[in-house]
Amino acid sequence: MQWVYIRPLRSFGDRRMRTVYVNGEYLPEQEATISIFDRGFLMADGVYEVTSVLDGKLIDFDGHAKRLRRSLGELDMTNPMSSDDLLEIHRELVRLNEIDEGLIYLQITRGSDGDRDFAFPDPETTAPTVVLFTQSKPGLADSTAAKKGAKIISIDDIRWGRRDIKTVQLLYPSMGKMMAKKAGCDDAWMIEDGYVTEGTGNNAYIVKDNTIITRHLGNEILHGITRAAVLRMAREAQMKVEERSFTIEEAQEADEAFTTSASAFVMPVVEIDGVALGEGVPGKVATRLREIYLQEMRNAAI
Ligand code: PLP
């Protein structure tokens, strides 16, 4: 007897089917496919970017496009398209999916030459895989999570040594997020050689005596696009900024703390490893920086 597998009708709940982009085509999400031999799937051999959308416009697109080019270059991957073409695809997906507030996820992998091998395929004959999709997130800017502030746990940073490249190797950050959830918290800050590197998906900051302290750039952290914008805005607002390492103990004694990322902007932190910061509510500096960031970025959105 021959078995025929009938694919069940997938339930997508109330969420409407998205139009996604795969290698030059705009397709309904249920029709979009890539090869099982894709190196993104087999080797985590790929890079990504997440760009937020507010009022139907892209936030800091140029920053994300620039970092994408750098990530591709650091991994000797072919850059498959110009920033103008990428912008066009981002905008088309926003339009097709009627995104007012949300995120655009972009992933580029080294593609597939139809087999599995540790050695990279010849870029002359194997094209990169390019995938983009939207995530609608109403209330992204007016976030209840940001009004409450985040509770953080600390965990060891056991990731690889090139965290400045935005690769799709996100297993350990996902595990960190689950460790935080298990502890009844929202996120984890990672510690290496006694110092905080960054959050699972964000850069980490403390505020002491009105000075904003965040780890200096290097291979140990991702060079956040939001980090660059927030530090520029803080300096323009005459706030003092120190780019240096800090410990969890120093963070627990800080007046306040926060994180930055393209998907959550400036997120106040109210508790670290069970110790409440200040009054245990979002701090003034983080709240002000969130306001400034959102306002400036909305004005500059494209
Ligand atoms: N650090 C890590 C490990 C991240 O994954 C992210 C964002 O995904 C960030 C920092 C923040 O970077 P950005 O502000 O560019 O979103």
Side-chain angles (χ1 to χ4, degrees), residues 212-232:
I212 299 162
I213 300 157
T214 192
R215 194 177 174 110
H216 49 283
L217 295 180
N219 292 350
E220 299 77 23
I221 62 168
L222 185 73
H223 302 189
I225 300 305
T226 321
R227 177 189 182 280
V230 165
L231 291 188
R232 175 178 55 77

Side-chain angles (χ1 to χ4, degrees), residues 239-259:
M239 297 179 187
K240 222 178 130 211
V241 175
E242 270 180 30
E243 293 182 64
R244 64 161 174 87
S245 304
F246 59 87
T247 63
I248 271 290
E249 292 73 27
E250 190 180 0
Q252 287 175 318
E253 285 162 18
D255 301 324
E256 51 178 292
F258 62 93
T259 62

Side-chain angles (χ1 to χ4, degrees), residues 48 64 67 159 166 198-203 222-227 260-263:
Y48 77 108
H64 290 283
R67 184 174 59 191
R159 297 173 299 162
K166 197 164 168 69
E198 59 188 333
T200 59
N202 46 58
N203 291 115
L222 185 73
H223 302 189
I225 300 305
T226 321
R227 177 189 182 280
T260 62
S261 65
S263 55

Side-chain angles (χ1 to χ4, degrees), residues 274-296:
V275 175
L277 299 190
E279 295 174 4
V281 292
K284 283 195 186 74
V285 172
T287 305
R288 180 79 194 113
L289 280 175
R290 184 178 174 91
E291 281 166 10
I292 298 175
Y293 177 82
L294 284 171
Q295 190 174 349
E296 273 206 34

Side-chain angles (χ1 to χ4, degrees), residues 83-227:
S83 295
D84 283 350
D85 290 341
L86 262 189
L87 175 60
E88 178 61 34
I89 299 166
H90 277 71
R91 283 181 161 157
E92 185 62 2
L93 284 179
V94 168
R95 189 184 71 76
L96 290 170
N97 294 289
E98 297 172 6
I99 304 295
D100 181 47
E101 282 196 11
L103 306 172
I104 309 220
Y105 179 85
L106 151 73
Q107 178 167 331
I108 301 180
T109 77
R110 207 180 301 272
S112 151
D113 66 353
D115 206 351
R116 179 177 181 271
D117 193 342
F118 276 63
F120 296 169
D122 181 352
E124 294 293 322
T125 50
T126 301
T129 300
V130 183
V131 169
L132 286 94
F133 59 80
T134 55
Q135 293 180 291
S136 178
K137 306 249 178 207
L140 190 66
D142 189 24
S143 140
T144 42
K147 284 177 193 136
K148 248 176 66 191
K151 293 182 180 176
I152 300 292
I153 59 164
S154 60
I155 61 173
D156 284 342
D157 196 337
I158 60 166
R159 297 173 299 162
W160 79 325
R162 289 302 307 275
R163 302 159 196 159
D164 57 308
I165 309 172
K166 197 164 168 69
T167 75
V168 295
Q169 305 173 66
L170 296 176
L171 180 56
Y172 187 65
S174 294
M175 290 169 74
K177 192 86 183 172
M178 294 313 293
M179 290 181 230
K181 276 188 156 198
K182 233 178 171 172
C185 292
D186 304 291
D187 202 1
W189 281 7
M190 292 176 277
I191 314 286
E192 187 172 58
D193 299 331
Y195 293 99
V196 174
T197 51
E198 59 188 333
T200 59
N202 46 58
N203 291 115
Y205 306 72
I206 58 173
V207 182
K208 187 73 180 174
D209 298 331
N210 287 315
T211 297
I212 299 162
I213 300 157
T214 192
R215 194 177 174 110
H216 49 283
L217 295 180
N219 292 350
E220 299 77 23
I221 62 168
L222 185 73
H223 302 189
I225 300 305
T226 321
R227 177 189 182 280

